[in-house]
Amino acid sequence: MTYGSQQPQPQIDNNLTMSIVSIFLFWPLAIPAIINANKVNPLLQAGDYAGAQAAAAESKKWSKLALIVGGIGWALGCICCALQVFVIGANGAAGM
């Protein structure tokens, strides 16, 4: 006696964790990442595997962009702060 031969649902990573982390680095690009990440599980439950994969891919794309842009912004900010300290330090010591 068989009870319906349903295939197990494939696991698709919704990238929600990466989306949430990326909101701390560059929120304008992280918002679409979170929106797409939240679409994955309902699409899987509805049986739309292609849609879930597309939403997961979009989430990953926006998360990576937010991480890259945010990382570059943080790096440039740190470099500018360090340069300012060295320039002010050099000019302050020369004026004495």
Side-chain angles (χ1 to χ4, degrees), residues 2-96:
T2 60
Y3 295 105
S5 59
Q6 282 205 344
Q7 297 176 349
Q9 289 183 344
Q11 294 295 322
I12 297 176
D13 183 17
N14 60 9
N15 301 305
L16 187 59
T17 303
M18 186 167 57
S19 301
I20 291 172
V21 169
S22 67
I23 204 163
F24 295 107
L25 290 175
F26 194 69
W27 66 267
L29 295 179
I31 290 173
I34 291 173
I35 290 171
N36 280 300
N38 285 324
K39 291 179 183 178
V40 174
N41 290 340
L43 288 170
L44 273 177
Q45 290 172 352
D48 185 5
Y49 304 118
Q53 286 178 332
E58 282 292 306
S59 173
K60 191 172 188 176
K61 175 184 78 170
W62 288 108
S63 295
K64 281 186 176 182
L65 283 172
L67 290 171
I68 290 168
V69 170
I72 290 171
W74 275 93
L76 288 175
C78 289
I79 290 170
C80 288
C81 287
L83 287 175
Q84 184 177 10
V85 167
F86 288 127
V87 168
I88 290 173
N91 288 339
M96 290 187 175

